[in-house]
Amino acid sequence: MSRQTGSAADGAQSASTGFRETFGAEPAGVWTAPGRVNVIGEHTDYNDGFVLPMAIDRACYAAAAPRADRILRVHAAQLGETVEIPLDALVGPGSAADDRDAADPDMSPLADPAVTGWAAYPVGVAWVLQQAGFPVSGADLYLTSTVPVGAGLSSSAALECATGLALAGVSGFDLTTAELAHHAQRAENIYAGVPCGPLDQMSSAFGQDGAVLFIDTRTGEVRPQPFDLAAEDALLLVIDTRVSHAHGENGYADRRAACERAAEFLGVPALRDIALADLPEAFAKVAVGLDEPTARRVRHVVTENARVQQFVAILNHEHFSLPPLGHRMMQSHASLRDDYEVSAPELDLAVATAVVAGAHGARMTGGGFGGSAIALVDRGQLDAVQDAVRAAFAEQGYAEPQFFPAVASAGARRIV
Ligand code: GLA
């Protein structure tokens, strides 16, 4: 049995057992959705750009059963909390049909959602699906997750996607993978009020065993790309700095707003439309017409989009080699640190130390301001890299980092 099947089986079992203990009945099924690491392509998704994530073998598991009434009860195992809400109380602006096929739906946050905190994520999914016209029935939902919270590994997207599939399953309607990702993102944007792009939910929904996903966030095209690091005797190591990224929420919204301002100023629909060759001119214009930090935000987005394409081109070589991939990761990190200013001292230390200890490259992954770094490491160097990062953190008095390999895994699905 592969490691991944083992952990999915464990997750299914713990969700089923928890469901029985909490609700005193059998679940009708168990659905799962993974967290992700983004290999390269950071802060490009809300600029209509390119990303290259992979789903990992840390996931949220949702055991669920339908109810005859119109009540939604959700239990979060890690918090030991249950919320209960009548589905008919989940009303909001706009009519049901409005949003379902809208090309550019309004993602503004609701002024007063019925629930807040962790429950806004699963309840938001129910709300969004109802708003879109899906016949959501009453349900009991037991959620348990192995994705660390606040580590920049998309625990919330995993929760949203697992909830969305479970609700569809017990209510008896189908959701395509693209619909799942889209509505999960809408739940996060509108109901939980977090202005994220599509990266996390698409990664969780579309994940594939052994592959990274080359995603064009403008067209929604997803191209799985084999990423067999084991064949190279290497792995992608996650270094969770244990600095919660939550305090970066304003920073994230600020960056997003700066990109939108810059695109408008440059007269393009999104920064994706600035070609690398036009960057010097765009940089100068924005630096003079807006301000220098905003010009650097533009430079990050434009160069990062190019790096994703270069990374994919390298993967497509018949024999890809790791140093040029590692090099792009280093460039990405430097750009996020210096131009985009979303790194953190712990992330910078993890990246620098990993590389000095022999990693081919490393970078922060996800939104930044804390969370996790990833390092591309030969198996033979794994212990040296982990020991060096642990020692460097101890020396600075930082919390002890956590390490685990990122295993490219399947996306959201039913498992029982
Ligand atoms: C967070 C957001 C994503 C994406 C990344 C940065 O993870 O949720 O939509 O913007 O940051 O690449």
Side-chain angles (χ1 to χ4, degrees):
M1 187 183 281
S2 78
R3 198 188 126 77
Q4 192 202 333
T5 318
S7 57
D10 293 347
Q13 194 179 356
S14 110
S16 298
T17 309
F19 186 96
R20 264 179 236 117
E21 286 168 7
T22 308
F23 299 119
E26 282 299 310
V30 181
W31 291 261
T32 185
R36 63 100 189 89
V37 296
N38 192 16
V39 180
I40 195 161
E42 219 66 82
H43 289 276
T44 47
D45 66 338
Y46 50 82
N47 290 298
D48 278 5
F50 303 110
V51 290
L52 194 73
M54 64 190 223
I56 58 176
D57 69 345
R58 298 290 185 108
C60 178
Y61 299 88
R67 292 172 61 99
D69 58 17
R70 304 257 317 130
I71 303 281
L72 175 64
R73 271 199 301 181
V74 190
H75 181 84
Q78 277 66 38
L79 301 169
E81 287 176 22
T82 308
V83 293
E84 181 170 327
I85 188 154
L87 286 170
D88 298 327
L90 295 179
V91 288
S95 67
D98 273 1
D99 299 323
R100 187 157 181 177
D101 298 312
D104 184 21
D106 181 13
M107 296 292 208
S108 335
L110 279 189
D112 54 353
V115 296
T116 53
W118 70 269
Y121 295 90
V123 170
V125 172
W127 177 83
V128 126
L129 290 172
Q130 274 195 166
Q131 286 290 111
F134 291 101
V136 179
S137 70
D140 285 334
L141 215 62
Y142 178 94
L143 300 171
T144 182
S145 183
T146 58
V147 189
V149 173
L153 302 172
S154 294
S155 60
S156 52
L159 192 158
E160 290 150 6
C161 289
T163 299
L165 275 193
L167 287 177
V170 298
S171 308
F173 61 85
D174 290 326
L175 279 177
T176 65
T177 309
E179 282 174 331
L180 176 65
H182 176 64
H183 292 296
Q185 185 199 348
R186 302 194 68 223
E188 180 138 356
N189 288 170
I190 304 173
Y191 208 86
V194 180
C196 65
L199 166 69
D200 307 341
Q201 292 79 11
M202 288 190 81
S203 313
S204 184
F206 284 96
Q208 284 202 10
D209 266 329
V212 284
L213 309 170
F214 178 43
I215 303 176
D216 180 337
T217 64
R218 169 165 281 167
T219 62
E221 189 199 346
V222 180
R223 234 192 293 152
Q225 193 77 43
F227 193 49
D228 188 3
L229 288 177
E232 305 295 317
D233 216 14
L235 57 91
L236 198 61
L237 178 69
V238 177
I239 307 169
D240 175 2
T241 65
R242 314 278 301 285
V243 179
S244 170
H245 67 153
H247 65 269
E249 266 161 31
N250 288 338
Y252 185 91
D254 288 353
R255 296 303 181 280
R256 188 170 178 156
C259 290
E260 283 162 9
R261 258 197 323 273
E264 198 186 336
F265 178 75
L266 292 167
V268 290
L271 292 183
R272 144 76 174 271
D273 298 299
I274 307 294
L276 194 56
D278 297 332
L279 179 60
E281 192 189 333
F283 185 96
K285 266 195 196 159
V286 173
V288 173
L290 293 174
D291 52 75
E292 198 266 347
T294 305
R296 286 188 282 114
R297 311 297 185 244
V298 172
R299 182 163 62 193
H300 166 72
V301 173
V302 174
T303 56
E304 185 77 353
N305 272 327
R307 283 186 287 271
V308 177
Q309 290 171 294
Q310 292 161 8
F311 200 99
V312 170
I314 296 166
L315 286 184
N316 278 317
H317 290 168
E318 209 177 323
H319 298 290
F320 72 82
S321 71
L322 300 178
L325 297 179
H327 180 62
R328 298 312 185 287
M329 292 171 73
M330 298 305 288
Q331 289 179 321
S332 169
H333 186 78
S335 177
L336 288 157
R337 182 192 60 210
D338 303 336
D339 274 354
Y340 219 65
E341 296 180 278
V342 291
S343 190
E346 292 83 353
L347 289 167
D348 295 341
L349 183 65
V351 166
T353 310
V355 171
V356 169
H360 292 289
R363 57 181 292 276
M364 52 159 276
T365 188
F369 304 103
S372 299
I374 48 174
L376 187 57
V377 185
D378 288 332
R379 270 187 195 283
Q381 295 297 116
L382 180 60
D383 288 344
V385 167
Q386 291 185 173
D387 291 349
V389 173
R390 207 178 282 115
F393 271 51
E395 194 176 316
Q396 292 298 317
Y398 295 161
E400 190 181 350
Q402 301 286 303
F403 303 94
F404 64 91
V407 178
S409 298
R413 65 204 184 278
R414 183 175 190 157
I415 44 173
V416 173

